[in-house]
Amino acid sequence: MSIAFNKPPMTGNEQEYLLQVLKGSKLCGDGPFSKRCQKWFEEKLAVEKVLLTPSCTAALELAALLINIQPGDEVIMPSYTFVSTANAFVLRGAKIVFVDIRQDTMNIDEDKIEAAITEKTRAIVPVHYAGVGCEMDIIMDIANRHGLYVIEDAAQGVMSKYKGRALGTIGHLGAFSFHETKNYTSGGEGGLLIINDTQFINRAEVIREKGTNRSQFFRGMVDKYQWVDVGSSYLPSELQSAYLWAQLENAEEINNTRLSAWDYYNKGLKPLSQTGVIGLTKIPEECVHNAHMFYMKTSGLEERTRLLEHLKSRDIFAAFHYVPLHTSKAGLKLGWFHGEDRFTTNESEKLVRLPLWYGIKQSDQKRIVDAIIEFYK
């Protein structure tokens, strides 16, 4: 039997809740399940306002609109991230300034940010890779001293924390993903905008509703429902929210199960790490991670290619991850790399992600660990 790289989580109530929506009278967004999910996150994250979106990409685009990104503005972020992190700002005309990552966490190197700031810089976008927090205290200090916005790409960070604070709740705005590869999904796609700066709440509702004051109208705050600002369609369907609600009801179980699977890999592969054969994920003391992924590092691209082929020959489907954006055709055109690329490209060519999902069997994990040990023998 083959071992898949990923299987979307299902906890048992998804079908029932989807049928409730189909039998009801409301399929579009902001129905009962949407409101339950948003309330759950507001209480869990201890924030005043969150808004569900069709994807994390949509949440980031909404954030770019909220901070009024204009053509020629510069936005600082790591190159080792998914294209949506950059696209959300490029769509508004921004130029992307990539800086190097840290070797230990694969997160943006907080010590490289300040040197990349110019008079055109508007925002910093830290990406919490693998659900492990960036050094947010330092990043927020830099942003505050230079009058910049911080938008956390916490796509992989649901249930993770930095110094006791949930990822996504530290910057001015944050974004979660509920794509099927994430710890929690809303039926394949989905996202969440976290609004930590209350000045953005009213406008975020307007932009999300195609630029209209629809939400205020239905709350009786205005007497006319009309177009009042720029906007787009950033509401998920009620079907997405219903699927997500089944996951949130079992959020702790999903989190604990994934952490157990992560710990099994870490323990099984530690002997190879201790002898310097491979590198393993580093979790800083101030961070609580969510076992979004388990990755290991080989000595380089050639070894990684052989390891992936070896695992595939055993019907084990592991994967590498991002090709650094600054080396891509669009990245070369729409941004530039500031400073030295010391770790971004080199470390990205070493990284291998192992199968990890809610419900993975320990016997399958043993088979994976044994196959890796066999390869290095």
Side-chain angles (χ1 to χ4, degrees), residues 114-187:
E114 196 152 19
I117 295 173
T118 72
E119 61 181 13
K120 296 181 180 180
T121 307
R122 289 294 309 283
I124 304 167
V125 186
V127 179
H128 303 298
Y129 187 70
V132 178
C134 299
E135 284 293 340
M136 290 305 298
D137 282 354
I138 296 174
I139 293 171
M140 293 306 298
D141 176 66
I142 294 170
N144 290 334
R145 285 190 285 105
H146 290 273
L148 305 176
Y149 290 112
V150 174
I151 298 171
E152 294 178 73
D153 184 337
Q156 303 170 5
V158 184
M159 301 289 278
S160 293
K161 294 182 179 180
Y162 169 82
K163 294 187 177 179
R165 299 178 65 184
L167 299 188
T169 69
I170 304 168
H172 299 87
L173 298 161
F176 282 164
S177 172
F178 305 123
H179 185 266
E180 69 169 36
T181 58
K182 302 303 189 291
N183 297 27
Y184 311 91
T185 183
S186 50

Side-chain angles (χ1 to χ4, degrees), residues 117-253:
I117 295 173
T118 72
E119 61 181 13
K120 296 181 180 180
T121 307
R122 289 294 309 283
I124 304 167
V125 186
V127 179
H128 303 298
Y129 187 70
V132 178
C134 299
E135 284 293 340
M136 290 305 298
D137 282 354
I138 296 174
I139 293 171
M140 293 306 298
D141 176 66
I142 294 170
N144 290 334
R145 285 190 285 105
H146 290 273
L148 305 176
Y149 290 112
V150 174
I151 298 171
E152 294 178 73
D153 184 337
Q156 303 170 5
V158 184
M159 301 289 278
S160 293
K161 294 182 179 180
Y162 169 82
K163 294 187 177 179
R165 299 178 65 184
L167 299 188
T169 69
I170 304 168
H172 299 87
L173 298 161
F176 282 164
S177 172
F178 305 123
H179 185 266
E180 69 169 36
T181 58
K182 302 303 189 291
N183 297 27
Y184 311 91
T185 183
S186 50
E189 292 282 356
L192 185 79
L193 178 71
I194 305 162
I195 305 171
N196 304 311
D197 189 333
T198 56
Q199 69 167 310
F200 293 124
I201 291 176
N202 290 337
R203 188 163 185 248
E205 288 185 331
V206 168
I207 293 173
R208 179 173 174 260
E209 290 270 18
K210 308 165 190 69
T212 72
N213 59 359
R214 180 175 178 271
S215 293
Q216 295 176 358
F217 175 75
F218 281 114
R219 289 200 298 267
M221 297 171 65
V222 294
D223 59 0
K224 292 181 179 179
Y225 168 20
Q226 59 182 312
W227 182 24
V228 296
D229 200 347
V230 297
S232 190
S233 184
Y234 290 136
L235 272 74
S237 77
E238 189 66 359
L239 289 167
Q240 284 182 283
S241 300
Y243 197 102
L244 178 61
W245 180 247
Q247 312 256 300
L248 298 182
E249 286 184 317
N250 295 278
E252 293 293 339
E253 179 193 348

